[in-house]
Amino acid sequence: MALTITGLSKTYPNGVKALKNLSLSIGNSMFGLVGPNGAGKSSLMRTVATLQEADSGSIVLDGIDVLRQKDEVRRILGYLPQEFGVYPKISALDMLHHLAVMKGMNSASERKETVDALLQQTNLWDVRKKALSTFSGGMKQRFGIAQALLGNPRLIIVDEPTAGLDPAERNRFLNLLSSLGSDRTVILSTHIVDDVRQLCPRMAIIASGELLLEGAPNDALAGLAGKIWSKVASTDDELHAIEKQLHVISTHLVGGQHEVRVFANALPGEGFRVVDSGLEDVYFLQLSGQGKNQRPN
Ligand code: ADP
């Protein structure tokens, strides 16, 4: 599977430029699209999912012109939108049957086989007769995956799926995503860097509608080895001084104190220690405008 996005731009009628000449290649396996809120992730995903138009650029999915051959795309695409919408009072089982009919699955026996298998796969078998409106956030997201998998799509897009899930539900959901197999491509759009670290062999970081980095998380991490330094600032004044003088990429509260993480090629000052870099450092470094030339591939 190959998805090639070239020079994609989108300006909304209110003047917001959501995508600015964005180009990106996505191959097989799980691909992480990460960026802060407002980066343009949903705009990009909705465009790939044929739900909205672009102003210019092209998207090609295995030889299909996505912006024009929409029906062909829809046949091989499963989509879990950020807001799945209303959850009706009907059961998961009935809803999946209904959606399967809408997808053109006319044979009752084939439908039963598919729906039952999806309910098992998403761990919803035991609650299949419960109304969707009573489902927890995690159950709803797993149902979202079940409906996205109807018709056995080659490409699955999941938009911000773990936002609002508690840690146990999030874990279960990430496990489900990773089990979707190597025979299809999954694009995981998220602002949660950790989701990408856990699941995705390749990723892209976007912000303000632009691509900041594309490549393997491990390569991006390797580029930061020995360059991330940490210090606990004991006073607000010290924190402000560090922020003024050094390239701070993030600050975290640890036990009520500010732990500052700084990007520097050598010891940036007294009291700093070199620390293991994490994908969050890659992300914050890109967002802070540095490292634009550090594309790992
Ligand atoms: P993300 O998914 O990364 O949070 P979005 O694609 O939702 O980003 O939004 C990108 C930018 O486009 C934001 O500034 C957002 O407010 C704006 N935007 C998104 N959808 C619309 C719309 N339908 N009309 C106008 N502006 C929009």
Side-chain angles (χ1 to χ4, degrees):
M1 224 256 4
L3 177 70
T4 309
I5 298 160
T6 312
L8 203 68
S9 293
K10 172 72 180 179
T11 302
Y12 286 109
N14 62 0
V16 172
K17 286 186 167 51
L19 300 171
K20 299 173 191 159
N21 197 23
L22 194 129
S23 299
L24 193 58
S25 286
I26 297 174
N28 271 324
S29 81
M30 181 99 61
F31 190 92
L33 180 69
V34 58
N37 287 331
K41 302 183 297 296
S42 291
S43 299
L44 180 61
M45 294 300 98
R46 285 197 303 262
T47 313
V48 174
T50 74
L51 299 173
Q52 75 176 44
E53 305 288 334
D55 298 333
S56 54
S58 74
I59 306 176
V60 179
L61 170 63
D62 278 349
I64 301 170
D65 180 344
V66 172
L67 298 177
R68 287 180 188 82
Q69 299 169 271
K70 295 193 173 116
D71 286 342
E72 269 125 284
V73 177
R74 286 172 194 161
R75 248 175 258 140
I76 57 167
L77 176 106
Y79 179 54
L80 173 57
Q82 199 168 349
E83 290 288 331
F84 192 52
V86 228
Y87 289 86
K89 290 213 168 76
I90 72 169
S91 70
L93 182 72
D94 289 347
M95 186 66 173
L96 273 185
H97 271 283
H98 172 70
L99 292 170
V101 172
M102 308 269 283
K103 280 235 166 182
M105 232 180 259
N106 292 321
S107 147
S109 58
E110 184 198 341
R111 209 165 54 232
K112 180 174 180 342
E113 198 178 313
T114 305
V115 166
D116 286 0
L118 286 174
L119 288 166
Q120 301 272 13
Q121 187 181 357
T122 52
N123 217 355
L124 291 172
W125 180 254
D126 293 347
V127 292
R128 68 192 182 282
K129 292 184 181 156
K130 290 202 169 150
L132 288 168
S133 55
T134 65
F135 274 19
S136 70
M139 286 154 73
K140 283 178 179 164
Q141 290 303 70
R142 280 183 279 132
F143 178 79
I145 287 293
Q147 65 79 30
L149 285 172
L150 277 170
N152 199 19
R154 270 188 283 156
L155 172 65
I156 294 187
I157 294 175
V158 283
D159 199 356
E160 300 272 359
T162 60
L165 299 191
D166 71 35
E169 280 181 332
R170 176 171 164 263
N171 219 7
R172 200 174 299 136
F173 188 80
L174 293 182
N175 282 330
L176 170 63
L177 279 188
S178 80
S179 74
L180 292 185
S182 48
D183 52 339
R184 63 176 114 235
T185 297
V186 179
I187 305 178
L188 168 65
S189 162
T190 182
H191 66 275
I192 303 172
V193 181
D194 216 35
D195 288 354
V196 172
R197 184 185 61 76
Q198 289 187 31
L199 291 179
C200 304
R202 292 191 68 78
M203 65 179 269
I205 299 176
I206 69 169
S208 308
E210 291 178 298
L211 181 74
L212 299 185
L213 177 140
E214 180 185 3
N218 283 343
D219 292 345
L221 275 175
L224 293 191
K227 294 179 182 174
I228 304 295
W229 304 80
S230 164
K231 180 179 184 175
V232 175
S234 39
T235 62
D236 282 357
D237 283 350
E238 187 184 5
L239 176 66
H240 295 319
I242 293 171
E243 282 173 337
K244 242 184 179 166
Q245 288 158 15
L246 299 172
H247 183 182
V248 172
I249 53 173
S250 62
T251 61
H252 300 274
L253 276 173
V254 179
Q257 288 193 302
H258 293 285
E259 190 207 318
V260 195
R261 287 171 89 87
V262 163
F263 176 74
N265 287 318
L267 182 70
E270 209 178 302
F272 278 93
R273 65 191 171 88
V274 74
V275 287
D276 287 343
S277 52
L279 202 54
E280 243 182 26
D281 295 317
V282 173
Y283 179 69
F284 285 127
L285 182 63
Q286 292 297 327
L287 293 190
S288 68
Q290 271 288 310
K292 282 200 176 184
N293 302 319
Q294 293 189 349
R295 296 190 182 180
N297 283 313

